[in-house]
Amino acid sequence: MTERLQIAFAQLNQTMGDLRGNADAMLAARARQPEADLIVTCELSLIGYPPEDLVLKPSLVRAADAELQRMAEATADGGPAMLVGSVLLEDDKLYNAMALLDGGKIAAWTRKHELPNYGVFDEKRVFAPGPLPGPLAFRGVRLGVPICEDIWFPDVCECLAETGAEILLVPNGSPYELDKDDKRLSLAAMRVAETGLPLAYLNRVGGQDEIVFDGASFVMNADRRIAVQFPDWEERVTLTTWFRTAKGWVCEEGHKHRLDPYPEDIYHAMQIGLADYVNRNRFPGVVLGLSGGIDSALSAAVAVDALGADRVWCVMMPSRFTSQDSLDDAAECARMLGCRLDTIAITPAMEAFDAMLAPVFEGKPRDITEENIQSRIRGVTLMALSNKFGHMLLTTGNKSEMSVGYATIYGDMAGGYSVLKDAYKTTVFALSRWRNANRPKLALGPNGPVMPERVITKPPTAELRENQKDQDSLPPYEILDPILHGLVEEELSVADIVARGFDRDTVIRIERLLYVAEYKRRQSPPGVKIGIRNFGRDRRYPITNAFRTS
């Protein structure tokens, strides 16, 4: 009977669709842990997660099978076995599955039973649910392998325990969102309490379009105490040692890494999400408009931390409404970050548009139309630089603005990616203060402050007309953001939010602005998901919609 087991957990950053690269990375992890009995990898670790309709391509399924066979043959050397996430095509059904590779062959498969179909997940679209699984026999030990969503409900773990599982190994593709660490720990504790079995929770790291994975893997013994805590955001291959006792298997205690508190976790999500998006789409860097305001300053800081100052190109585009403070703050922000700053005045283009449209606009007063033209001139300018030099245009708008349509389509909404897309304005302030006092781990940017204090403290303004302030058009952000959180994240009615002490007319107005701006959000670039209801993947509303809760 096996009394001791060494299991290495590979918390890795997989690239979507890079089957050979992902396979090589897992084999390299195996080579670094020759004393292990088993190397465990994440859900769909061979392909990437979430693969969406990519897995419906027969050629990808065939290529994945070929790579999995190559990995299986590598285990013929007598070294560690591997538990690898891939797809299994069987009887014309495609499964999200884990393959046990041992002795030079695929020794066993287990299939995911619970398929998530909410929020960012739509697995029922592409996968068939597997049957309730039994444990995998491995060198005298019965291993239960519930796959990600399988532990969010009790049935799979109960079935595994009842059919003799001794350890639960849980490969995941669990995206980051606020307060997710506590949710995972509570969930694991429930399954451990119900089954009496120790549980190892393995999660990936890295960005995949809007979604970011934070790792933060852990091992929980049957007494519900954490034996090992992986770091968040970093790749790590960790060897754990397990012993059979009279009360079952126990994992020997190892290092317990500190996980990010708020808002450090959000900053790292933005940093990792942007880095993987830019690098994997092979952009030489990013270009963005640096206005002297807090949104563009924070976006520039995240970009420098993610990519390095030499890959971040900032452009100040002043008009006759741009204050000297904004010019000075943009210049000082670029200096503090060490990145390139160019100034391209848009006044000639504004004058050209005024002259061009004067015959048609004759007799009409200046209004938001002329303000939007300025924003679109800036968008055209930045896109011209992006086209000419290849840098991806980084959009700098935040979730508060996008919620109520306080953004110009084809103007400041233009771009390829947004790190602030899911960050309310109050979160932007918190992140800016945090970054000025801290240097993130893995950051390529400087120590010390990254923006002048005045950028954080001055009243926000778009500077599209004389003496303009955001609060001319919107409630103060400390009022606006809680209302939006209630409407978007919590799906509350106007009455529900008024009951929390907010002015009824204000809430009605914000709800109307939220609904009528849906068409804009449909045309906005992807951005890092940080909350439970981001625009695009989580919250999917019709553009044409007459329903109101007031």
Side-chain angles (χ1 to χ4, degrees), residues 389-457:
F389 298 97
H391 291 59
M392 185 196 76
L393 175 52
L394 185 64
T395 311
T396 60
N398 61 67
K399 190 171 186 176
S400 301
E401 296 169 350
M402 287 303 304
S403 296
V404 296
Y406 194 69
T408 304
I409 196 166
Y410 322 125
D412 57 318
M413 287 175 59
Y417 199 74
S418 172
V419 295
L420 305 185
K421 182 174 181 176
D422 203 26
Y424 289 112
K425 189 75 169 192
T426 47
T427 304
V428 170
F429 283 112
L431 289 167
S432 299
R433 294 188 187 100
W434 180 85
R435 180 58 182 93
N436 260 7
N438 301 272
R439 184 172 186 264
K441 60 186 177 185
L442 308 178
L444 300 177
N447 288 311
V450 294
M451 66 185 74
E453 182 65 19
R454 184 170 61 186
V455 169
I456 301 174
T457 58

